[in-house]
Short mmCIF file of all heavy atoms in Angstrom, two decimals:
data_model
loop_
_atom_site.label_atom_id
_atom_site.label_comp_id
_atom_site.label_asym_id
_atom_site.label_seq_id
_atom_site.Cartn_x
_atom_site.Cartn_y
_atom_site.Cartn_z
N ASN A 505 20.20 2.60 -6.81
CA ASN A 505 21.29 3.57 -6.80
C ASN A 505 21.71 3.89 -8.22
O ASN A 505 21.39 3.17 -9.17
CB ASN A 505 22.50 3.00 -6.04
CG ASN A 505 22.17 2.57 -4.64
OD1 ASN A 505 21.86 1.40 -4.40
ND2 ASN A 505 22.21 3.50 -3.70
N SER A 506 22.44 4.97 -8.35
CA SER A 506 22.96 5.36 -9.67
C SER A 506 24.02 4.38 -10.12
O SER A 506 24.64 3.67 -9.31
CB SER A 506 23.55 6.77 -9.60
OG SER A 506 24.60 6.81 -8.66
N TYR A 507 24.20 4.32 -11.45
CA TYR A 507 25.29 3.51 -12.00
C TYR A 507 26.61 3.92 -11.35
O TYR A 507 26.88 5.11 -11.14
CB TYR A 507 25.40 3.73 -13.50
CG TYR A 507 24.33 3.06 -14.33
CD1 TYR A 507 24.01 3.56 -15.60
CD2 TYR A 507 23.66 1.92 -13.90
CE1 TYR A 507 23.05 2.94 -16.40
CE2 TYR A 507 22.71 1.30 -14.67
CZ TYR A 507 22.40 1.81 -15.93
OH TYR A 507 21.45 1.21 -16.70
N GLY A 508 27.44 2.95 -11.06
CA GLY A 508 28.73 3.22 -10.45
C GLY A 508 28.72 3.06 -8.94
O GLY A 508 29.79 2.95 -8.31
N SER A 509 27.51 3.03 -8.34
CA SER A 509 27.42 2.76 -6.92
C SER A 509 27.60 1.26 -6.68
O SER A 509 27.37 0.46 -7.59
CB SER A 509 26.04 3.20 -6.39
OG SER A 509 25.82 4.58 -6.62
N PRO A 510 27.99 0.87 -5.47
CA PRO A 510 28.13 -0.57 -5.19
C PRO A 510 26.85 -1.34 -5.51
O PRO A 510 25.77 -0.97 -5.06
CB PRO A 510 28.44 -0.60 -3.68
CG PRO A 510 29.08 0.72 -3.41
CD PRO A 510 28.40 1.70 -4.32
N GLY A 511 26.99 -2.38 -6.32
CA GLY A 511 25.83 -3.19 -6.69
C GLY A 511 25.02 -2.68 -7.85
O GLY A 511 24.02 -3.30 -8.23
N SER A 512 25.41 -1.54 -8.43
CA SER A 512 24.65 -0.96 -9.54
C SER A 512 25.57 -0.70 -10.72
O SER A 512 26.23 0.34 -10.79
CB SER A 512 23.97 0.34 -9.11
OG SER A 512 23.24 0.90 -10.19
N SER A 513 25.61 -1.64 -11.63
CA SER A 513 26.45 -1.52 -12.82
C SER A 513 25.56 -1.56 -14.06
O SER A 513 24.58 -2.30 -14.10
CB SER A 513 27.47 -2.65 -12.90
OG SER A 513 28.31 -2.63 -11.76
N PRO A 514 25.88 -0.77 -15.09
CA PRO A 514 25.08 -0.80 -16.31
C PRO A 514 25.26 -2.14 -17.03
O PRO A 514 26.32 -2.75 -16.91
CB PRO A 514 25.65 0.36 -17.14
CG PRO A 514 27.03 0.59 -16.61
CD PRO A 514 26.98 0.20 -15.16
N PRO A 515 24.25 -2.59 -17.78
CA PRO A 515 22.95 -1.92 -17.97
C PRO A 515 21.90 -2.33 -16.95
O PRO A 515 20.84 -1.71 -16.89
CB PRO A 515 22.54 -2.40 -19.36
CG PRO A 515 23.09 -3.80 -19.43
CD PRO A 515 24.40 -3.76 -18.67
N ALA A 516 22.14 -3.38 -16.15
CA ALA A 516 21.08 -3.89 -15.26
C ALA A 516 20.78 -2.94 -14.11
O ALA A 516 19.63 -2.67 -13.79
CB ALA A 516 21.47 -5.27 -14.73
N GLY A 517 21.83 -2.40 -13.47
CA GLY A 517 21.62 -1.55 -12.32
C GLY A 517 21.01 -2.33 -11.16
O GLY A 517 20.98 -3.56 -11.16
N ASN A 518 20.49 -1.59 -10.18
CA ASN A 518 19.83 -2.26 -9.03
C ASN A 518 18.53 -1.54 -8.65
O ASN A 518 18.18 -1.47 -7.46
CB ASN A 518 20.77 -2.35 -7.83
CG ASN A 518 21.11 -0.99 -7.24
OD1 ASN A 518 20.81 0.06 -7.82
ND2 ASN A 518 21.74 -0.99 -6.08
N THR A 519 17.83 -1.02 -9.67
CA THR A 519 16.54 -0.37 -9.42
C THR A 519 15.45 -1.42 -9.37
O THR A 519 15.26 -2.18 -10.33
CB THR A 519 16.23 0.66 -10.53
OG1 THR A 519 17.22 1.70 -10.50
CG2 THR A 519 14.85 1.27 -10.33
N TYR A 520 14.70 -1.44 -8.27
CA TYR A 520 13.63 -2.41 -8.09
C TYR A 520 12.32 -1.71 -7.74
O TYR A 520 12.32 -0.67 -7.05
CB TYR A 520 13.95 -3.40 -6.97
CG TYR A 520 14.96 -4.46 -7.35
CD1 TYR A 520 16.33 -4.23 -7.17
CD2 TYR A 520 14.55 -5.68 -7.88
CE1 TYR A 520 17.26 -5.20 -7.51
CE2 TYR A 520 15.49 -6.65 -8.24
CZ TYR A 520 16.83 -6.41 -8.04
OH TYR A 520 17.75 -7.37 -8.38
N LEU A 521 11.23 -2.30 -8.20
CA LEU A 521 9.88 -1.92 -7.77
C LEU A 521 9.33 -3.04 -6.90
O LEU A 521 9.44 -4.23 -7.24
CB LEU A 521 8.95 -1.75 -8.97
CG LEU A 521 8.98 -0.43 -9.73
CD1 LEU A 521 8.11 -0.53 -10.97
CD2 LEU A 521 8.52 0.73 -8.85
N THR A 522 8.71 -2.68 -5.79
CA THR A 522 8.07 -3.63 -4.89
C THR A 522 6.61 -3.27 -4.72
O THR A 522 6.28 -2.08 -4.56
CB THR A 522 8.77 -3.64 -3.52
OG1 THR A 522 10.12 -4.04 -3.67
CG2 THR A 522 8.08 -4.58 -2.55
#
Side-chain angles (χ1 to χ4, degrees):
N505 304 94
S506 60
Y507 285 156
S509 302
S512 179
S513 300
N518 67 349
T519 296
Y520 284 89
L521 278 174
T522 298

